Amino acid sequence: METISYSRFNEDILRNMSPPGRRYYVLLALAFAGVLLGASCWAYQIATGLGSAGINLPVYWGTYLINFVFWVGIAHSGTLISAILYLFRAPWRTAIARSAEAMTVFAVSVAGLFPFIHLGRVWIVYWILPYPNQRNLWPNFQSPLVFDVIAISTYLTVSVLFWFTGLIPDLAVVRDSSTGLRRKIYGFFSLGWLGTHRQWNHYGTAYLLFAALATPLVISVHSVVSWDFALSIVPGWHSTIFAPYFVAGAIHSGLAMVLTLLIPLRRVFKFEHLITLKILENIAKTIIFTGLIVGYAYGVEYFMAQYSGNIAERDTFIWRAVGHYALEFWIMVLFNAVVPLAFFIKKVRTDLRYLFGISILINIGMWYERFVIIVGSAAHQFDPYSWGYYSPTWVEFGIMIGSFSLFFFLFLLFARFIPTISMTEMKETGRHSRRENP
């Protein structure tokens, strides 16, 4: 990184909070239109019933649960980059941690919508909440679906607190450089930050505490999501490998989404000297590692199905590879396990075009992985008489487009109103001109 003064850090990072151009508002309008499309499709489903979706016998879990697992997975890389790499004092995380943390919060928020959408009659959700009632209904706390509620709500709470704690010093910088109503708003959220020695001491302790608390959640949350499947006896789901398999896949897709977001971000806000090519290369190297784990998990699944001697298990995995959803299966294998190996070539992992293109392919492949896992088993269980096919309807596609639009809409607002790079951490790890050092 080039020699940069403290004031230059502030100027460069705060530049993205200046009034945006027309292109920003066009992207924001497109994202908002997608949100309206998704909301309209959900309203249509509520008005006409869950039958407007393609969910039916024998596949009761469709794209709503596929998207739920996908978005929970996307959220994991934010904690990986922010918390785990912070504990290991990896210097290359500082320029991308803030955006990764924001991605975590937005992805978990989007994921939390899909259980309500999948419920159909969303207004009866109160019957599955743990409170005394006249019908003596009470959630089964041994159910992994209840585990999901607890784990994801905890993960969201800790992620928001971790994200907001890191924001406080930077919000104070924005407050001091603003006037009028803007100064009052940022002053309120900066919680009276003055930068005293005592405040910095408490800040460091709190940030370290949240980082240590968030780290085990990376493993626990998606492990709990995997138990939704592994605790059943459905062929292709009942497997002890699902917990590490889901965690590795979650980090794999999350890191790819980080590249998808950061490459345009550094171009638009001219952050090339802060989000350097070396940082993006380190993310690509990490994707190689997670991609190898995911590829190994694919192989182990087929070995266990063959070695177990279970006819239903073996037949399910053969059907996935050559049956009705064979195209989706081979897209999953190619995009998740084979394509990332291109990052072994230095020219590929240091070229922005390849980085961006491969990151999109990985996210497509990870979405299809969830499709193959959920639909590939639900449509092909023990009894051949009950075998069937599942195809999403336009309502489900509309809601899925709305979920992606909501995610990008929130990220665009974040990039406009909040410093996208932590000025505090960049000053701690960057090289500065001597005349401006205290």
Side-chain angles (χ1 to χ4, degrees):
M1 183 186 294
E2 62 180 275
T3 300
I4 305 175
S5 66
Y6 283 140
S7 59
R8 172 78 183 281
F9 274 122
N10 290 354
E11 294 170 2
D12 289 348
I13 296 173
L14 291 178
R15 190 190 310 124
N16 74 300
M17 302 180 67
S18 59
R22 182 180 301 177
R23 184 179 302 176
Y24 173 85
Y25 289 110
V26 171
L27 292 175
L28 194 67
L30 289 174
F32 186 68
V35 173
L36 291 179
L37 173 63
S40 300
C41 291
W42 188 11
Y44 176 81
Q45 176 180 286
I46 292 174
T48 60
L50 199 57
S52 59
I55 302 170
N56 209 331
L57 185 70
V59 181
Y60 296 108
W61 287 10
T63 57
Y64 299 150
L65 273 301
I66 293 169
N67 285 307
F68 168 75
V69 179
F70 175 81
W71 284 115
V72 172
I74 290 295
H76 276 59
S77 67
T79 305
L80 170 75
I81 291 174
S82 298
I84 298 178
L85 297 183
Y86 175 78
L87 295 177
F88 284 98
R89 295 298 190 266
W92 59 271
R93 64 165 284 281
T94 55
I96 60 177
R98 177 69 52 73
S99 297
E101 291 167 12
M103 186 187 76
T104 293
V105 174
F106 302 150
V108 175
S109 301
V110 173
L113 293 174
F114 280 100
F116 295 101
I117 298 173
H118 180 74
L119 185 61
R121 293 180 290 177
V122 67
W123 55 89
I124 63 171
V125 67
Y126 61 87
W127 287 121
I128 61 176
L129 299 178
Y131 71 97
N133 56 80
Q134 73 273 21
R135 297 179 63 186
N136 294 320
L137 295 177
W138 196 257
N140 178 12
F141 287 100
Q142 295 180 343
S143 169
L145 297 177
V146 179
F147 299 171
D148 273 345
V149 176
I150 298 172
I152 292 174
S153 59
T154 303
Y155 186 58
L156 177 61
T157 302
V158 173
S159 298
V160 170
L161 291 174
F162 184 49
W163 181 47
F164 181 72
T165 300
L167 275 171
I168 292 174
D170 287 358
L171 294 177
V173 174
V174 181
R175 174 201 64 197
D176 296 338
S177 62
S178 306
T179 58
L181 179 61
R182 182 185 176 96
R183 181 183 180 89
K184 293 180 180 179
I185 294 174
Y186 285 102
F188 174 80
F189 286 104
S190 61
L191 304 180
W193 179 271
L194 298 175
T196 63
H197 175 75
R198 183 181 179 185
Q199 287 179 336
W200 278 113
N201 186 38
H202 289 315
Y203 167 82
T205 302
Y207 199 75
L208 180 62
L209 175 64
F210 282 124
L213 184 60
T215 298
L217 291 178
V218 174
I219 300 173
S220 66
V221 172
H222 222 54
S223 296
V224 168
V225 173
S226 75
W227 295 342
D228 293 344
F229 307 93
L231 292 182
S232 71
I233 61 172
V234 175
W237 288 359
H238 190 63
S239 173
T240 55
I241 199 177
F242 259 39
Y245 172 27
F246 270 49
V247 171
I251 297 174
H252 192 49
S253 61
L255 289 170
M257 184 62 79
V258 169
L259 285 179
T260 304
L261 293 174
L262 288 183
I263 291 174
L265 183 73
R266 75 191 290 271
R267 174 75 177 272
V268 171
F269 295 120
K270 297 180 172 55
F271 284 158
E272 288 85 355
H273 60 294
L274 300 176
I275 306 175
T276 62
L277 195 58
K278 182 65 177 177
I279 293 174
L280 300 180
E281 185 182 3
N282 287 331
I283 298 176
K285 291 178 181 178
T286 312
I287 288 176
I288 295 175
F289 176 67
T290 55
L292 289 172
I293 296 176
V294 169
Y296 173 75
Y298 293 162
V300 168
E301 275 195 310
Y302 271 81
F303 170 78
M304 293 174 65
Q306 180 67 28
Y307 187 73
S308 68
N310 187 314
I311 297 176
E313 190 85 8
R314 185 185 307 167
D315 184 72
T316 295
F317 278 93
I318 292 175
W319 186 75
R320 285 185 184 181
V322 300
H324 186 75
Y325 299 113
L327 176 62
E328 289 82 353
F329 171 82
W330 291 110
I331 288 176
M332 172 192 80
V333 173
L334 180 64
F335 287 2
N336 295 337
V338 179
V339 170
L341 298 180
F343 284 146
F344 273 113
I345 304 172
K346 186 175 180 62
K347 183 178 179 181
V348 174
R349 67 175 184 266
T350 55
D351 189 312
L352 293 180
R353 294 170 298 178
Y354 289 121
L355 285 169
F356 188 70
I358 291 176
S359 71
I360 293 176
L361 292 180
I362 291 173
N363 277 313
I364 293 173
M366 290 307 299
W367 192 92
Y368 274 114
E369 178 194 284
R370 279 63 181 235
F371 182 94
V372 169
I373 289 174
I374 294 174
V375 178
S377 288
H380 203 81
Q381 297 190 36
F382 294 101
D383 185 8
Y385 179 78
S386 64
W387 289 352
Y389 302 121
Y390 164 78
S391 297
T393 64
W394 64 271
V395 174
E396 293 170 282
F397 278 119
I399 292 176
M400 184 172 68
I401 292 172
S403 70
F404 279 89
S405 300
L406 178 60
F407 175 78
F408 289 116
F409 180 77
L410 294 174
F411 195 85
L412 286 170
L413 292 179
F414 155 76
R416 170 67 178 87
F417 294 105
I418 298 176
T420 52
I421 297 177
S422 174
M423 292 178 277
T424 301
E425 296 192 30
M426 291 299 294
K427 291 172 185 176
E428 290 177 352
T429 59
R431 294 185 299 178
H432 319 290
S433 58
R434 293 182 180 179
R435 59 189 178 89
E436 292 216 20
N437 282 340

